[in-house]
Amino acid sequence: MSTHVRHPIWLPALRPADARTFASLYAVESFARATISSVIPIQAYEILHNEQIVSILYTIVALLGLSVTLFMPMLIRRFARRWVYTAGACLLAIGSLFFVTHTLTGQLIGMLCRVMGASALSITLNLYIMDHIRKSDFMQAESLRMAWSMFAWTGGPTLGIFLYTSFGIYAAHGAVAIFALALLVLFWTYRLGDNPSIRPGKSRPANPLANIGRFVAQPRLRLAWLIAFGRSCFWTTFFVYGPLFMVITGEGELAGGLLVSAGNALLFTAIFWGRAGKRFGGRRTMTFAYFAMSATLLAAGAVGETVPLLTGAFLLCGAFFAIALDALGSTAFMRSVRFYERAQMAAVYRTYLDFSELTPPLVYSVVLAFFGLGSVFATLGLLAAACGFVTWRYLPKSL
């Protein structure tokens, strides 16, 4: 028959997608994003010369990114997931083209491309994971994914700063384009298929507001969002206020950089937390992690500026427990979402990242008007304690 296609004999030889497949994709993607994670704020400051305006720029991008995230299911509904994932990787590279213009317009568009690309990659990768990994294996798969990303988030920011300061703006952003290209090659090599059951049916609303309503109406999805929001607030605080604390207390920029690098290096413990979750249960492990993280943050807030290095040590302990929530937290969503509305709910679920970048600075700006910098960590500790209580009270024991 003229319509018959004879595939090369090596095509079926590729093994089915497993945890290592998604861990490798996430690791390369992390390199593409982490390499310029420290370069972007420096570049924004060089253009604007004002910290407050830089914060406003980040707020604008975060709000626009939130809108894009909520509309992502409409793109997934319209196109095959593989093309949305491909577009996400391309957006990371396109963003680099705008960044190298070193203008305010280029900076804004570049940051927006980066946010849009990260949103597309995150949502589609989560859909692929839920499509190919059994529910009983989610914890192990997620812990492996976090552990493999350690190399990117530990070495990537340092690599980006080195390229930017030693070889210039083209070298730093050129590295992102290379990593994005490598991600595309790897993704298409794996040839991940789209499961038709994951696509929303025609009767399901694609309207973002309707999707939010569906999400909020499901208690377990609300709980999964809160778990993710709490641990993401920790990382937002750790990456921004950790180095700032070290500089203000006189320990210097190097101490701040080492604090962030040490926190990222702890990602290898995700394997340990994955095994702990499998042995003791996700509910117990995540509750313990939240309460332990709360204790270390309250201790950091109590010590404050009196012994900066001890405060930094408490923050690192908090990072250790936050990684447990990185490794296990998303399983609460993956096991709760209904298969026929995964795309819509995954987009709403990911808004925890946008809100965790918007909410803490707003709250801290009020707290800092009355208390010292250590109050930031104490405030976060109270949030962690609240998340821990809700997790213990409402997360099913069977998780």
Side-chain angles (χ1 to χ4, degrees), residues 12 23 48 70 90 104 109 112 151 155 181 204 237 253 260 286 305 334 337 348 354 366 368-370 385 395:
L48 297 169
L70 291 175
C90 291
L104 178 57
I109 298 176
L112 186 57
F151 301 102
L181 177 61
R204 293 288 165 185
T237 305
E253 295 179 358
V260 172
M286 284 188 276
E305 301 174 27
M334 292 181 175
V337 65
V348 180
D354 303 290
V366 176
L368 289 172
F370 300 96
L395 194 67

mmCIF file of all heavy atoms in Angstrom, residues 12 23 48 70 90 104 109 112 151 155 181 204 237 253 260 286 305 334 337 348 354 366 368-370 385 395:
data_model
loop_
_atom_site.group_PDB
_atom_site.id
_atom_site.type_symbol
_atom_site.label_atom_id
_atom_site.label_comp_id
_atom_site.label_asym_id
_atom_site.label_seq_id
_atom_site.Cartn_x
_atom_site.Cartn_y
_atom_site.Cartn_z
ATOM 1 N N PRO A 12 11.884 0.970 17.404
ATOM 2 C CA PRO A 12 11.245 0.348 18.557
ATOM 3 C C PRO A 12 12.239 -0.087 19.631
ATOM 4 O O PRO A 12 11.845 -0.526 20.689
ATOM 5 C CB PRO A 12 10.527 -0.866 17.960
ATOM 6 C CG PRO A 12 10.492 -0.623 16.484
ATOM 7 C CD PRO A 12 11.727 0.159 16.199
ATOM 8 N N ALA A 23 14.347 12.673 34.518
ATOM 9 C CA ALA A 23 15.415 13.293 35.309
ATOM 10 C C ALA A 23 16.452 13.929 34.391
ATOM 11 O O ALA A 23 16.941 15.035 34.654
ATOM 12 C CB ALA A 23 16.069 12.251 36.221
ATOM 13 N N LEU A 48 18.916 49.600 34.728
ATOM 14 C CA LEU A 48 17.995 50.492 35.435
ATOM 15 C C LEU A 48 18.653 51.337 36.531
ATOM 16 O O LEU A 48 18.150 52.398 36.890
ATOM 17 C CB LEU A 48 16.853 49.664 36.040
ATOM 18 C CG LEU A 48 15.972 48.928 35.022
ATOM 19 C CD1 LEU A 48 15.051 47.940 35.711
ATOM 20 C CD2 LEU A 48 15.154 49.934 34.216
ATOM 21 N N LEU A 70 -1.831 30.330 33.161
ATOM 22 C CA LEU A 70 -3.250 29.964 33.214
ATOM 23 C C LEU A 70 -3.823 29.661 31.831
ATOM 24 O O LEU A 70 -4.784 28.891 31.701
ATOM 25 C CB LEU A 70 -4.047 31.094 33.876
ATOM 26 C CG LEU A 70 -3.793 31.293 35.368
ATOM 27 C CD1 LEU A 70 -4.541 32.512 35.880
ATOM 28 C CD2 LEU A 70 -4.211 30.051 36.157
ATOM 29 N N CYS A 90 12.490 26.460 22.821
ATOM 30 C CA CYS A 90 12.854 27.522 21.876
ATOM 31 C C CYS A 90 12.745 28.908 22.508
ATOM 32 O O CYS A 90 13.560 29.801 22.230
ATOM 33 C CB CYS A 90 11.970 27.449 20.634
ATOM 34 S SG CYS A 90 12.275 26.007 19.585
ATOM 35 N N LEU A 104 16.263 48.010 27.959
ATOM 36 C CA LEU A 104 15.134 47.743 28.850
ATOM 37 C C LEU A 104 14.077 46.906 28.151
ATOM 38 O O LEU A 104 13.537 45.961 28.730
ATOM 39 C CB LEU A 104 14.537 49.064 29.333
ATOM 40 C CG LEU A 104 13.313 48.942 30.251
ATOM 41 C CD1 LEU A 104 13.633 48.112 31.478
ATOM 42 C CD2 LEU A 104 12.801 50.328 30.654
ATOM 43 N N ILE A 109 11.343 41.672 27.430
ATOM 44 C CA ILE A 109 10.904 40.590 26.551
ATOM 45 C C ILE A 109 11.684 39.308 26.839
ATOM 46 O O ILE A 109 11.123 38.205 26.840
ATOM 47 C CB ILE A 109 11.066 40.997 25.066
ATOM 48 C CG1 ILE A 109 10.175 42.204 24.762
ATOM 49 C CG2 ILE A 109 10.710 39.837 24.147
ATOM 50 C CD1 ILE A 109 10.341 42.745 23.353
ATOM 51 N N LEU A 112 10.333 37.733 29.943
ATOM 52 C CA LEU A 112 9.020 37.163 29.671
ATOM 53 C C LEU A 112 9.142 35.861 28.876
ATOM 54 O O LEU A 112 8.440 34.873 29.163
ATOM 55 C CB LEU A 112 8.159 38.164 28.911
ATOM 56 C CG LEU A 112 6.697 37.770 28.673
ATOM 57 C CD1 LEU A 112 6.005 37.475 29.990
ATOM 58 C CD2 LEU A 112 5.958 38.858 27.912
ATOM 59 N N PHE A 151 23.299 19.308 39.975
ATOM 60 C CA PHE A 151 24.484 19.755 39.243
ATOM 61 C C PHE A 151 24.226 21.083 38.541
ATOM 62 O O PHE A 151 25.088 21.966 38.512
ATOM 63 C CB PHE A 151 24.895 18.677 38.231
ATOM 64 C CG PHE A 151 25.212 17.358 38.849
ATOM 65 C CD1 PHE A 151 24.294 16.315 38.816
ATOM 66 C CD2 PHE A 151 26.428 17.146 39.491
ATOM 67 C CE1 PHE A 151 24.576 15.094 39.393
ATOM 68 C CE2 PHE A 151 26.725 15.923 40.072
ATOM 69 C CZ PHE A 151 25.798 14.899 40.027
ATOM 70 N N GLY A 155 26.178 24.401 39.961
ATOM 71 C CA GLY A 155 27.232 24.947 39.112
ATOM 72 C C GLY A 155 26.770 25.952 38.083
ATOM 73 O O GLY A 155 27.570 26.784 37.622
ATOM 74 N N LEU A 181 19.238 23.932 22.902
ATOM 75 C CA LEU A 181 19.356 23.061 21.735
ATOM 76 C C LEU A 181 19.590 21.619 22.169
ATOM 77 O O LEU A 181 18.991 20.682 21.610
ATOM 78 C CB LEU A 181 20.503 23.539 20.846
ATOM 79 C CG LEU A 181 20.798 22.685 19.611
ATOM 80 C CD1 LEU A 181 19.588 22.638 18.684
ATOM 81 C CD2 LEU A 181 22.023 23.226 18.861
ATOM 82 N N ARG A 204 -15.222 19.788 28.670
ATOM 83 C CA ARG A 204 -14.466 20.395 29.756
ATOM 84 C C ARG A 204 -14.092 21.816 29.405
ATOM 85 O O ARG A 204 -13.623 22.088 28.301
ATOM 86 C CB ARG A 204 -13.192 19.584 30.047
ATOM 87 C CG ARG A 204 -13.508 18.208 30.617
ATOM 88 C CD ARG A 204 -14.019 18.328 32.043
ATOM 89 N NE ARG A 204 -14.654 17.089 32.478
ATOM 90 C CZ ARG A 204 -15.265 16.941 33.639
ATOM 91 N NH1 ARG A 204 -15.345 17.968 34.460
ATOM 92 N NH2 ARG A 204 -15.820 15.805 33.955
ATOM 93 N N THR A 237 12.710 33.089 49.466
ATOM 94 C CA THR A 237 13.343 33.803 50.578
ATOM 95 C C THR A 237 14.824 33.464 50.672
ATOM 96 O O THR A 237 15.665 34.343 50.880
ATOM 97 C CB THR A 237 12.640 33.440 51.897
ATOM 98 O OG1 THR A 237 11.242 33.707 51.772
ATOM 99 C CG2 THR A 237 13.211 34.239 53.049
ATOM 100 N N GLU A 253 29.640 39.510 49.806
ATOM 101 C CA GLU A 253 28.935 38.863 48.705
ATOM 102 C C GLU A 253 29.361 37.413 48.526
ATOM 103 O O GLU A 253 28.551 36.557 48.146
ATOM 104 C CB GLU A 253 29.187 39.637 47.410
ATOM 105 C CG GLU A 253 28.610 41.050 47.420
ATOM 106 C CD GLU A 253 28.902 41.799 46.131
ATOM 107 O OE1 GLU A 253 29.573 41.214 45.265
ATOM 108 O OE2 GLU A 253 28.456 42.954 45.997
ATOM 109 N N VAL A 260 24.090 30.215 48.948
ATOM 110 C CA VAL A 260 23.172 29.742 47.913
ATOM 111 C C VAL A 260 23.698 28.464 47.258
ATOM 112 O O VAL A 260 22.949 27.508 47.037
ATOM 113 C CB VAL A 260 22.945 30.834 46.858
ATOM 114 C CG1 VAL A 260 22.162 30.292 45.672
ATOM 115 C CG2 VAL A 260 22.205 32.019 47.475
ATOM 116 N N MET A 286 6.558 14.571 54.920
ATOM 117 C CA MET A 286 6.379 15.981 54.593
ATOM 118 C C MET A 286 5.997 16.812 55.821
ATOM 119 O O MET A 286 6.431 17.953 55.970
ATOM 120 C CB MET A 286 5.325 16.128 53.490
ATOM 121 C CG MET A 286 5.841 15.765 52.107
ATOM 122 S SD MET A 286 4.681 16.165 50.779
ATOM 123 C CE MET A 286 3.641 14.701 50.821
ATOM 124 N N GLU A 305 20.870 39.008 63.350
ATOM 125 C CA GLU A 305 22.113 39.663 62.954
ATOM 126 C C GLU A 305 23.204 39.569 64.006
ATOM 127 O O GLU A 305 24.320 40.038 63.773
ATOM 128 C CB GLU A 305 21.822 41.134 62.624
ATOM 129 C CG GLU A 305 20.812 41.314 61.509
ATOM 130 C CD GLU A 305 20.429 42.771 61.292
ATOM 131 O OE1 GLU A 305 21.258 43.651 61.609
ATOM 132 O OE2 GLU A 305 19.310 43.032 60.825
ATOM 133 N N MET A 334 0.018 14.916 41.819
ATOM 134 C CA MET A 334 -0.011 13.889 40.780
ATOM 135 C C MET A 334 -0.946 12.737 41.124
ATOM 136 O O MET A 334 -1.548 12.124 40.245
ATOM 137 C CB MET A 334 1.403 13.362 40.535
ATOM 138 C CG MET A 334 2.329 14.385 39.904
ATOM 139 S SD MET A 334 3.985 13.716 39.613
ATOM 140 C CE MET A 334 4.765 15.086 38.750
ATOM 141 N N VAL A 337 -4.988 14.501 41.020
ATOM 142 C CA VAL A 337 -5.638 15.072 39.844
ATOM 143 C C VAL A 337 -6.299 13.989 38.998
ATOM 144 O O VAL A 337 -5.769 12.876 38.857
ATOM 145 C CB VAL A 337 -4.602 15.860 39.004
ATOM 146 C CG1 VAL A 337 -3.533 14.940 38.438
ATOM 147 C CG2 VAL A 337 -5.289 16.644 37.894
ATOM 148 N N VAL A 348 -3.084 25.392 36.606
ATOM 149 C CA VAL A 348 -3.480 26.122 37.817
ATOM 150 C C VAL A 348 -2.538 25.780 38.961
ATOM 151 O O VAL A 348 -2.141 26.658 39.741
ATOM 152 C CB VAL A 348 -4.937 25.778 38.199
ATOM 153 C CG1 VAL A 348 -5.344 26.532 39.465
ATOM 154 C CG2 VAL A 348 -5.885 26.111 37.061
ATOM 155 N N ASP A 354 4.373 31.307 40.750
ATOM 156 C CA ASP A 354 4.184 32.739 40.528
ATOM 157 C C ASP A 354 3.801 33.456 41.820
ATOM 158 O O ASP A 354 4.333 34.527 42.124
ATOM 159 C CB ASP A 354 3.109 32.968 39.464
ATOM 160 C CG ASP A 354 3.443 32.280 38.152
ATOM 161 O OD1 ASP A 354 4.381 32.730 37.488
ATOM 162 O OD2 ASP A 354 2.772 31.300 37.807
ATOM 163 N N VAL A 366 6.189 44.727 54.750
ATOM 164 C CA VAL A 366 5.429 45.201 55.905
ATOM 165 C C VAL A 366 6.148 44.834 57.202
ATOM 166 O O VAL A 366 6.291 45.661 58.109
ATOM 167 C CB VAL A 366 4.004 44.606 55.895
ATOM 168 C CG1 VAL A 366 3.235 45.023 57.146
ATOM 169 C CG2 VAL A 366 3.262 45.041 54.638
ATOM 170 N N LEU A 368 9.329 44.178 57.717
ATOM 171 C CA LEU A 368 10.598 44.891 57.876
ATOM 172 C C LEU A 368 10.409 46.351 58.288
ATOM 173 O O LEU A 368 11.354 47.001 58.734
ATOM 174 C CB LEU A 368 11.399 44.821 56.566
ATOM 175 C CG LEU A 368 11.973 43.449 56.228
ATOM 176 C CD1 LEU A 368 12.579 43.441 54.828
ATOM 177 C CD2 LEU A 368 13.034 43.045 57.247
ATOM 178 N N ALA A 369 9.198 46.860 58.117
ATOM 179 C CA ALA A 369 8.928 48.232 58.555
ATOM 180 C C ALA A 369 8.914 48.336 60.082
ATOM 181 O O ALA A 369 9.059 49.429 60.633
ATOM 182 C CB ALA A 369 7.597 48.704 57.988
ATOM 183 N N PHE A 370 8.774 47.184 60.770
ATOM 184 C CA PHE A 370 8.694 47.189 62.228
ATOM 185 C C PHE A 370 9.825 46.415 62.896
ATOM 186 O O PHE A 370 10.166 46.695 64.048
ATOM 187 C CB PHE A 370 7.351 46.591 62.674
ATOM 188 C CG PHE A 370 6.159 47.335 62.153
ATOM 189 C CD1 PHE A 370 5.507 46.913 61.001
ATOM 190 C CD2 PHE A 370 5.682 48.461 62.808
ATOM 191 C CE1 PHE A 370 4.391 47.594 60.516
ATOM 192 C CE2 PHE A 370 4.573 49.145 62.327
ATOM 193 C CZ PHE A 370 3.931 48.723 61.187
ATOM 194 N N ALA A 385 5.168 26.319 59.705
ATOM 195 C CA ALA A 385 4.451 25.608 60.765
ATOM 196 C C ALA A 385 2.979 25.427 60.385
ATOM 197 O O ALA A 385 2.392 24.353 60.592
ATOM 198 C CB ALA A 385 4.574 26.367 62.080
ATOM 199 N N LEU A 395 -3.745 15.726 54.727
ATOM 200 C CA LEU A 395 -3.180 14.847 53.714
ATOM 201 C C LEU A 395 -3.488 13.400 54.045
ATOM 202 O O LEU A 395 -3.257 12.972 55.180
ATOM 203 C CB LEU A 395 -1.659 15.053 53.612
ATOM 204 C CG LEU A 395 -0.981 14.456 52.381
ATOM 205 C CD1 LEU A 395 -1.442 15.182 51.122
ATOM 206 C CD2 LEU A 395 0.542 14.565 52.501
#
